[in-house]
Amino acid sequence: FGPVMTVIRFDGMEDLVEKANNTIYGLAAAVVTNDLDKAMYVANNIRAGTVWVNCYDTFDAGAPFGGYKQSGIGRELGEYGLEAYTEVKTVTMKVNQKNS
């Protein structure tokens, strides 16, 4: 099991994203570039739960982890990871006001 690196020619950023998204999986991806504008374009448009830029396999316990498509359901870690263990409740109460 991974990591696996694929080197594929592409004609432009849209072509790159289209090729990267042409899979049923979407757990994680990595982008290696000196151009941060291109890195942000790819990170914002690729269908993966985690996108690393100029690094790989780096985690923070406060950041949610999980995949898109057939790479998992839900998220682990971070605030999103706690959602499976919580229930939200709304309480509305009328409070008498005193005129002072």
Side-chain angles (χ1 to χ4, degrees), residues 4-52:
V4 175
M5 183 172 112
T6 303
V7 179
I8 300 173
R9 290 181 186 251
F10 57 92
D11 294 325
M13 298 305 293
E14 289 179 4
D15 183 45
L16 167 70
V17 169
E18 183 180 329
K19 288 179 178 182
N21 287 333
N22 187 20
T23 178
I24 61 173
Y25 303 110
L27 183 59
V31 179
V32 179
T33 181
N34 289 326
D35 187 330
L36 294 182
D37 289 332
K38 288 180 180 178
M40 289 304 298
Y41 177 84
V42 172
N44 286 328
N45 289 284
I46 199 165
R47 299 286 300 152
T50 297
V51 179
W52 291 288

Side-chain angles (χ1 to χ4, degrees), residues 63-77:
F65 180 78
Y68 285 18
K69 305 182 234 181
Q70 291 187 24
S71 288
I73 298 172
R75 294 291 179 263
E76 299 173 356
L77 307 174

Side-chain angles (χ1 to χ4, degrees), residues 2-4 28-30 52-59:
V4 175
W52 291 288
V53 177
N54 295 332
C55 60
Y56 187 77
D57 203 25
T58 303
F59 294 95

